[in-house]
Amino acid sequence: MVESIARVKHIRVTPQKARRVVALIKGKQAQEALAILKFAPQAASEPIYKLVESAIANARVKADKDSEFLDEQDLYVANAYVDEGSTLKRFRPRAQGRAFQIKKRTSHITIQLATPEVAETSKKASK
């Protein structure tokens, strides 16, 4: 019964684009999610790939700390979501002395991995 969370904040990818990639891996086995992300053409797949790897490492450390057996093949993406981070505001010069605002959006991405036993007990507790 291992559960791990990994977060990255202020990553320079828009939340809309990151959500498309996160939707690909939600509910999948962790190793399968890594394979999907490795070959996904979207630019947001690289930081999410690193984040899933980090969550796997966090699960390994947590299992060692609690003296539990962990088979990394059992881990799956229990929850994954993207929140909007702060927006960098820049200005672009335009004709006749005007300026247009450019919004460079950032994201906060959270990945939660779990083993199947943890998922069953958390569902029972929420009911």
Side-chain angles (χ1 to χ4, degrees):
M1 291 184 21
V2 178
E3 186 176 294
S4 71
I5 295 176
R7 287 187 185 97
V8 64
K9 293 188 173 187
H10 304 291
I11 196 83
R12 267 290 291 124
V13 63
T14 65
Q16 186 175 4
K17 292 176 182 177
R19 285 184 188 115
R20 286 180 48 210
V21 177
V22 166
L24 294 173
I25 63 167
K26 206 179 271 192
K28 301 265 196 289
Q29 191 177 12
Q31 298 298 327
E32 183 183 353
L34 288 175
I36 290 169
L37 291 170
K38 187 170 188 162
F39 297 105
Q42 292 87 357
S45 62
E46 183 182 347
I48 295 173
Y49 180 89
K50 289 181 181 181
L51 193 61
V52 172
E53 279 185 329
S54 177
I56 292 171
N58 291 347
R60 196 177 313 126
V61 168
K62 193 170 183 180
D64 288 345
K65 182 180 140 196
D66 296 341
S67 301
E68 292 182 19
F69 174 74
L70 173 69
D71 184 12
E72 292 181 13
Q73 300 298 324
D74 290 343
L75 289 172
Y76 77 101
V77 181
N79 198 1
Y81 55 91
V82 179
D83 293 326
E84 188 171 339
S86 57
T87 301
L88 305 172
K89 294 179 175 114
R90 302 291 180 257
F91 291 95
R92 184 97 181 141
R94 302 304 289 180
Q96 297 181 358
R98 292 185 179 94
F100 282 3
Q101 190 176 32
I102 296 174
K103 294 180 180 176
K104 298 189 174 201
R105 300 181 188 275
T106 62
S107 301
H108 302 323
I109 305 170
T110 304
I111 303 283
Q112 180 180 8
L113 299 182
T115 54
E117 306 91 50
V118 172
E120 292 172 7
T121 56
S122 65
K123 284 182 184 175
K124 290 177 185 176
S126 65
K127 287 183 181 178

